[in-house]
Structure formats: structure tokens, C-alpha cells
């Protein structure tokens, strides 16, 4: 079945649901993806929601969900990670479940795995825009098309809007951008702390790599042929620092190692092993597979502070200098220009220990430097979760975006909080906005 025939079928289906699809978008670039195939919807979306799945021309799997009472707006989701494993056809369902409130509130939803696992912001951005095209070709151009990025997907969504924000005629394609707990500070600035973590951790623990293992520059993450697992890495962290053990079972040396590492890096105990894993397995993919082995990180002049003996730390820590080409390649792939062309609304938990709230301060600075602050509204909550905030907060966010687009009035953080309160009775959790909060560039928690 061709995409065109499925598009006709979709028009009939949506019309039977009381929805009149708009005319097909005419664009120079067309997709040759597999046609969307009707699929059984998961039970966490409203009854009578229609679902489709398929595979894009470049290989990414996708799912689409359209509720019976579709409001005419489409949310294309850019997932976080990056997920380093090979994509599976059912992977987007995890993202659909996490943000199923969008479908409950009347939005159509589409999400892709991207064509492969691993790092690559421009790759993922192109796949995100391709999914938008797939939807438009199959179902017609919606009233509104929004791109939503979560975590690393925030970087992807922001890059999508920058690269594909206008069509060949100069018309805005993505009407609005929603970024949630986004890694939006720019790739060259938001990963350096993990390179520092590798160096500081190795100074105190000397077990990643161990002395009996092949040695390598820490910025490489891990040798390509290494079989180290995440569980084994977590065990090494616990051996050195006692992280995850009851306080009474930690030795004096473990306590001191842990205290020094946390004080110097600003990472908390619960996130020590996860951040070290990113600085291991993600760095291996990023540096050795995507940057041709070129180093984008630099601690050659860094002065580490906060330990019980900073002089010893700074004298003995492994040093590395950036390769200008490695830095340039990472910047090209993942840094943001701030040249936004559509209303952009963000939310970030103040105490997010995975993607620090300083990401939003960096993005605010980038957008301001580009002269586009009038298109940006940032909101913050008192939460500490990264992957999932309170459901009515997302509802307030998307409703505020729709009002901004439909009425032309830029919302305030208070407006978003009010819309959240109105939706709170329909969901289990409440609203936790801090309307006066404004993060600083170096802020990692409140």
C-alpha cells in the first residue's frame, strides 16, 4: 500500500471521527517511508483513539496516536537519551505512555526511535522532521504542529526547529516548540562536567580503568572493544565510594572518596553512577563513532576545588586538551544558535540532578544573544524528577502554547501555573511551579 493510499484511508478515518483534515502540504522533499499501518492502541490512551505504526525511509520506527476528539494540533515528540541500543519497533510506546496526557487533552501524537541508537543531534532532528512530513502526507496538514523535546530530546527538538523551521517559501513549519527538562545548553557546554567527573573519579578510585586493564585517555569514554557493562561499572563505583551501601557499612576511605568526588563535581550520590555511565558508554559512542576519535573536552587549565586536598587533586588528576576539530564537530552537531522562529516554551525541575537547570540559563543566554527573547518563555518547578514531571504541568504547558498561537498573547509563568491548576483535578498530581525562579549559568540545583 502506498503512502498516498494510506493518506486517503486516513482522511476517511479522521472524517468518520468528526475531523476534517486540511489539504496535503506541498513540499519539495518527499518521504519514501513505509506507509503507516493501523495498530492496536495501548490501554493508557483514551478509548476510541486511533493508532498507526511504521518505519521511516531512513530506518526509524514510529507510532502515531490520534484521539477521537482531536483538537487539530499535532505533537511530534523527540525522545531523550540518547539511547545507545538498536531501536525496536515498540520503543516509541514508552514515550507515548509518559506523555499520554497530550492525547487525553485532544492532541495527536507522533514519536520516532530515530534511525539508530547513539549520539547525533542533527541525525535525530532530521528524523523528527521526517516524521512530521510522514504525518502531513498521510493525514493532511494539522491546524498546528508542535515539536516537543524531553531531556536530550530537548536539544533535538530545538535543533529541529532551527534547521527545519521554515519551508522553501519561508513559511514557518513548526508552529511551536515545547522543551521539558531539556539538555539545551549546547553540546559543547553541557557534557564537560562529565569529562571532569571521569578525571576526578579516576584520581580517587583508580578502577576505571583498573591498573591491570588497558589504559586509555578518559575523554574517550571506553575502548570500542571493551565488554564492561553498566552493572560492572556500578559495582566499581560502590567498591571505591560505598555509594548505594548503608552509611554504617562504608569504610572511612570510601566515605572520604565519595565526599571528595561529590564536592568537587557537584553530582549527588544517587546520580554518581548514572553520570559516570554517561561519561563512559555515551562518550565512547560520541567521541569514537561520531567524532572520529577527536577530543571535544578540555581540563588542561581547570582548577578543581572542594576536596580535602585540592593541591594533591590538581597535581595528580589526568589532564587532557581539546582537539579544535573535535570541538567544532560537536558544536556543529549539537550547539544551538538561538535563532528561534516560533514561540518556544520550556519547563525544568529546579532540582533535576540528571539535566541540570543551568541548561535553561544557558539557552536563555543563547536566545538573548540572537535577539529572539520575545519568542521564549521559561517555567520552573520545585520538583527533582527528570524523566517525568507532574502530568497537569505538561497540560498547562501545552494549553499555554495553544493560547499563545491562537490568541497571540505571550504567556507568563503565572499563566502556565493557572492553566495547570485548572487541569489538576483531572490528574493524580498537583502543580509545583516556582514563578519567580531564574537559574544562573552555573546552577545545578536549588
Amino acid at each position: 500500500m502506498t503512502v498516498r493510499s494510506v493518506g486517503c484511508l486516513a482522511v476517511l478515518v479522521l472524517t468518520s471521527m468528526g475531523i476534517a483534515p486540511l489539504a496535503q502540504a506541498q513540499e519539495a522533499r518527499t518521504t519514501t517511508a513505509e506507509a503507516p499501518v493501523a495498530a492496536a492502541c495501548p490501554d493508557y490512551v483514551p478509548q476510541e483513539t486511533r493508532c498507526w505504526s511504521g518505519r521511516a525511509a531512513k530506518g526509524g520506527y514510529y507510532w502515531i496516536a490520534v484521539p477521537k476528539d482531536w483538537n487539530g494540533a499535532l505533537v511530534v515528540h523527540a525522545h531523550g537519551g540518547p539511547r545507545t541500543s538498536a531501536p525496536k519497533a515498540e520503543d516509541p510506546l514508552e514515550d507515548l505512555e509518559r506523555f499520554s496526557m497530550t492525547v487525553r487533552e485532544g492532541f495527536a501524537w507522533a514519536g520516532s526511535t530515530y534511525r539508530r541508537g547513539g549520539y547525533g543531534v542533527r541525525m535525530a532532528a532530521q528524523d523528527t522532521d521526517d516524521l512530521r512530513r510522514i504525518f502531513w502526507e498521510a493525514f493532511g496538514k494539522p491546524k498546528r504542529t508542535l515539536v516537543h523535546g524531553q531531556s536530550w530530546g530537548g536539544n533535538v527538538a530545538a535543533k529541529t526547529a532551527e534547521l527545519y523551521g521554515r519551508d522553501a517559501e519561508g513559511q514557518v513549519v513548526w508552529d511551536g516548540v515545547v522543551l521539558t527538562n531539556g539538555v539545551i545548553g549546547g553540546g559543547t557546554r553541557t557534557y564537560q562536567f562529565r569529562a571532569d567527573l571521569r578525571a576526578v573519579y579516576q584520581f580517587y578510585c583508580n578502577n576505571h580503568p583498573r591498573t591491570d586493564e588497558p589504559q586509555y585517555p578518559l575523554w574517550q569514554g571506553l575502548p570500542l572493544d571493551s565488554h564492561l557493562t553498566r552493572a560492572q561499572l556500578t559495582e566499581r563505583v560502590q567498591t571505591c565510594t560505598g555509594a548505594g551501601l548503608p552509611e554504617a557499612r562504608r569504610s572511612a576511605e570510601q566515605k572520604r572518596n565519595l565526599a571528595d568526588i561529590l564536592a568537587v563535581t557537584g553530582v549527588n550520590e544517587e546520580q554518581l553512577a548514572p553520570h559516570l555511565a554517561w561519561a563512559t558508554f555515551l562518550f565512547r559512542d560520541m567521541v569514537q563513532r561520531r567524532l572520529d576519535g577527536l577530543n571535544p573536552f578540555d581540563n588542561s587549565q581547570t582548577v578543581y576545588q572542594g576536596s580535602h586536598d585540592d593541591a594533591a587533586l590538581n597535581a595528580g588528576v589526568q589532564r587532557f586538551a581539546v582537539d579544535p576539530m573535535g570541538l567544532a564537530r560537536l558544536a556543529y552537531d549539537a550547539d544551538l544558535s538561538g535563532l528561534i522562529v516560533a514561540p518556544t516554551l520550556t519547563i525544568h525541575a529546579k532540582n533535576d540532578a540528571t539535566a541540570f537547570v543551568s541548561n535553561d540559563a544557558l539557552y536563555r543566554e543563547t536566545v538573548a544573544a540572537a535577539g529572539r527573547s520575545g519568542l521564549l518563555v521559561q517555567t520552573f518547578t520545585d520538583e527533582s524528577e527528570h524523566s517525568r514531571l507532574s502530568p497537569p504541568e505538561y497540560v498547562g504547558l501545552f494549553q499555554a502554547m495553544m493560547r499563545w498561537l491562537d490568541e497571540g498573547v505571550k504567556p507568563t509563568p503565572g499563566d502556565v501555573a493557572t492553566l495547570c491548576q485548572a487541569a489538576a483535578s483531572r490528574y493524580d498530581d498537583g502543580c509545583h511551579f516556582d514563578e519567580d525562579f531564574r537559574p544562573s549559568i552555573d546552577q545545578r540545583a536549588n
Side-chain angles (χ1 to χ4, degrees), residues 20 59 84 128 147 223 234 239 248 278 283 288 347 373 376 384 396 398 426:
T84 54
T128 300
V147 61
T234 300
T239 298
W278 288 119
F283 278 19
Q288 301 194 63
I347 187 172
S373 297
L376 177 65
S384 58
F398 281 99
R426 304 196 298 274

Side-chain angles (χ1 to χ4, degrees), residues 86 121 188 240 260 339:
V121 176
T188 60
C240 174
D260 280 341
L339 293 170

Side-chain angles (χ1 to χ4, degrees), residues 24-368:
Q24 299 285 335
Q26 300 298 316
E27 298 184 66
R29 192 179 84 189
T30 59
T31 61
T32 56
E34 292 179 6
V37 176
C41 287
D43 58 8
Y44 44 75
V45 296
Q47 292 184 358
E48 300 187 71
T49 297
R50 300 296 183 97
C51 293
W52 292 264
S53 64
R55 194 170 191 183
K58 296 179 180 67
Y61 297 100
Y62 65 84
W63 275 76
I64 294 169
V66 181
K68 180 181 179 181
D69 57 347
W70 187 30
N71 63 9
L74 167 67
V75 175
V76 181
H77 178 71
H79 74 71
R83 297 166 181 167
T84 54
S85 58
K88 298 179 182 178
E90 305 301 311
D91 285 350
L93 293 178
E94 175 186 346
D95 306 305
L96 175 56
E97 189 278 330
R98 187 178 302 163
F99 299 103
S100 58
M101 76 290 296
T102 57
V103 183
R104 286 186 60 181
E105 296 297 322
F107 293 87
W109 185 94
S112 164
T113 62
Y114 315 137
R115 72 193 71 169
R116 60 163 172 76
Y119 201 78
V121 176
R122 284 177 175 259
M123 172 274 299
Q126 186 178 66
D127 288 355
T128 300
D129 191 63
D130 281 349
L131 179 54
R132 179 211 34 105
R133 294 171 182 272
I134 289 170
F135 187 99
W136 283 24
E137 290 173 3
F139 304 106
K141 181 180 178 180
K143 173 186 174 183
R144 302 290 188 193
T145 302
L146 312 178
V147 61
H148 167 218
Q150 160 65 22
S151 187
W152 179 69
N155 195 171
V156 174
K159 181 69 83 170
T160 301
E162 286 188 1
L163 295 178
Y164 307 105
R166 296 184 185 272
D167 62 19
E169 286 72 43
Q171 299 298 310
V172 172
V173 171
W174 293 99
D175 297 295
V177 182
V178 178
L179 309 174
T180 58
N181 279 357
V183 181
I184 52 178
T188 60
R189 295 195 286 184
T190 53
Y191 291 99
Q192 176 62 44
F193 85 92
R194 287 180 175 144
D196 290 324
L197 174 62
R198 279 302 305 269
V200 171
Y201 176 87
Q202 185 67 0
F203 173 79
Y204 289 108
C205 297
N206 201 32
N207 66 3
H208 185 37
R210 294 190 305 242
T211 55
D212 61 348
E213 293 177 319
Q215 303 299 294
Y216 56 90
L218 299 177
W219 52 264
Q220 289 184 351
L222 198 66
L224 286 172
D225 60 355
S226 173
H227 298 293
L228 181 74
T229 66
R230 183 163 180 157
Q232 290 170 336
L233 176 58
T234 300
E235 183 179 2
R236 294 187 187 194
V237 174
Q238 186 175 95
T239 298
C240 174
T241 68
L245 294 175
E247 184 78 14
R249 290 181 54 192
R250 298 175 186 175
S251 68
E253 182 181 10
Q254 287 175 328
K255 291 178 182 178
R256 192 173 72 175
N257 287 341
L258 181 61
D260 280 341
I261 293 169
L262 300 187
V264 173
T265 65
V267 173
N268 68 32
E269 180 180 337
E270 291 73 22
Q271 290 298 317
L272 173 57
H275 279 305
L276 200 61
W278 288 119
T280 300
F281 305 107
L282 177 61
F283 278 19
R284 172 169 61 180
D285 180 83
M286 175 196 291
V287 173
Q288 301 194 63
R289 294 192 177 102
R290 315 305 166 195
L291 300 178
D292 295 328
L294 303 177
N295 176 24
F297 306 115
D298 194 313
N299 75 340
S300 60
Q301 302 299 318
T302 302
V303 178
Y304 294 108
Q305 297 177 317
S307 73
H308 78 279
D309 188 343
D310 289 346
L313 170 61
N314 284 285
V317 71
Q318 184 181 125
R319 299 290 181 174
F320 37 84
V322 67
D323 183 301
M325 182 58 70
L327 183 67
R329 289 186 180 182
L330 181 57
Y332 174 76
D333 184 69
D335 280 0
L336 298 169
S337 70
L339 293 170
I340 55 180
V341 299
T344 301
L345 190 52
T346 76
I347 187 172
H348 212 123
K350 290 161 50 178
N351 298 300
D352 182 349
T354 300
F356 301 130
V357 72
S358 57
N359 272 277
D360 284 60
L362 291 167
Y363 190 61
R364 180 188 71 221
E365 178 187 74
T366 300
V367 171

